[in-house]
Every structure is written in structure tokens, then in C-alpha cells.
Amino acid sequence: TRGAPSKYIKLKDIIQEAYQELSAKDSLVITCNCKKKIKVDVKQFILVFKYILDNAIKYCNVETAKVIISCETTTTGFLINIKDNGPGIPDTLKEDLFLLFKTGAHKNSGLGLGLASVKKIIERHRGEVGYNFKTKVLQIKLPPELYQKQQND
């Protein structure tokens, strides 16, 4: 389904709202220094980060999940890098990572809707999402027209 009209919002505000909606937020610490504004469907992007943060909590093998979110602008777009202190996604999921109903081997695995939904929402915004199995970083790339240039850019 199509979401609400897009508007400019700080990425940090989207992440904060997603964090507030998590049920297990007490076991999560987020570091995000990104103050950039992006033009997105806010409700859909809150959902993107809710799925990502929920996965960080669910698959973390220590008591407190730690997530570091950074962003940068390039000539080809706006990059959001997400890294956590979990074990990473196993290579066995390389081909199926963003497919519906594919889950990790965890007792609390859900239905396999999270990353598939993330991919769909990002693509709806003409972006791309990928995972680097070596660095264990999830990367979202948005086209340059969705990034609001600021004076210090």
C-alpha cells in the first residue's frame, strides 16, 4: 500500500520514534549522530527502523544490544549504515535475507516479515538496502533527491 505523502524529517527523530515503539527497548542502546533530514513517508520509515532495531535485540547474544547508526552523503545518494554488537547474519542466509518468511535460527524468530518489509519500503522510496557479510553492516542507500542539503554539507 502507498503511504502518506513524504516530508523532510531528521533521521534521528525517525529512529527515536521507532525506539519508543519497541517493547524490549530496555535492552537496547542506540548511538546515532545523524542530524540530516530526509524526505520520506515518516510512518513507513519508523517501521523500517522498528524492524531493524527489533532484529538487533532479538538476535543479540549479549544482555544489551548496541546499535550504531551513521549517515553520509555521496554524489550518488544518502547512505545510512547500521551496525550492532550481535553475531551478524549467517552466510547461509545470503541469498534469502530479504525474502518473505525467511527467518534466522533463533528461538524468538518471527514470521520473516521484517527485512522483507524493510526492502519493500526502501525500494518504494527508490532506494536500495543491502548487507555486507564481512563488515556486518546493513546499508540503506537513498537517492540524492530525498536528502535535504544543509549549510554545513
Side-chain angles (χ1 to χ4, degrees), residues 105-123:
H106 188 274
K107 62 181 177 180
N108 295 327
S109 288
L111 299 172
L113 302 175
L115 288 180
S117 298
V118 166
K119 184 175 194 274
K120 188 82 166 162
I121 292 168
I122 298 302
E123 287 176 347

Side-chain angles (χ1 to χ4, degrees), residues 114-152:
L115 288 180
S117 298
V118 166
K119 184 175 194 274
K120 188 82 166 162
I121 292 168
I122 298 302
E123 287 176 347
R124 225 180 254 149
H125 286 80
R126 298 177 316 283
E128 301 170 8
V129 62
Y131 183 77
N132 185 317
F133 285 84
K134 281 187 181 173
T135 62
K136 299 180 182 176
V137 172
L138 182 77
Q139 185 174 74
I140 297 171
K141 180 180 178 185
L142 297 174
E145 63 268 18
L146 297 185
Y147 162 69
Q148 185 178 45
K149 285 201 175 276
Q150 295 161 338
Q151 286 187 355
N152 57 355

Side-chain angles (χ1 to χ4, degrees), residues 27-143:
S27 58
L28 175 66
V29 174
I30 302 170
T31 302
C32 176
N33 297 324
C34 188
K35 296 180 177 110
K36 309 287 187 199
K37 287 187 176 184
I38 52 176
K39 187 175 184 178
V40 295
D41 178 318
V42 175
K43 286 184 180 181
Q44 287 184 1
F45 258 69
I46 289 169
L47 190 57
V48 162
F49 282 94
K50 187 175 174 186
Y51 282 133
I52 291 169
L53 296 174
D54 187 56
N55 278 353
I57 294 168
K58 190 182 305 179
Y59 295 103
C60 186
N61 54 1
V62 294
E63 191 173 319
T64 302
K66 295 179 181 175
V67 177
I68 299 170
I69 302 170
S70 62
C71 62
E72 61 184 289
T73 55
T74 69
T75 55
T76 59
F78 183 72
L79 302 178
I80 304 165
N81 297 300
I82 304 142
K83 183 166 179 59
D84 64 38
N85 64 333
I89 299 169
D91 287 344
T92 55
L93 292 177
K94 206 175 256 191
E95 300 299 319
D96 300 335
L97 184 59
F98 295 102
L99 296 179
L100 272 174
F101 311 119
K102 296 295 179 179
T103 62
H106 188 274
K107 62 181 177 180
N108 295 327
S109 288
L111 299 172
L113 302 175
L115 288 180
S117 298
V118 166
K119 184 175 194 274
K120 188 82 166 162
I121 292 168
I122 298 302
E123 287 176 347
R124 225 180 254 149
H125 286 80
R126 298 177 316 283
E128 301 170 8
V129 62
Y131 183 77
N132 185 317
F133 285 84
K134 281 187 181 173
T135 62
K136 299 180 182 176
V137 172
L138 182 77
Q139 185 174 74
I140 297 171
K141 180 180 178 185
L142 297 174

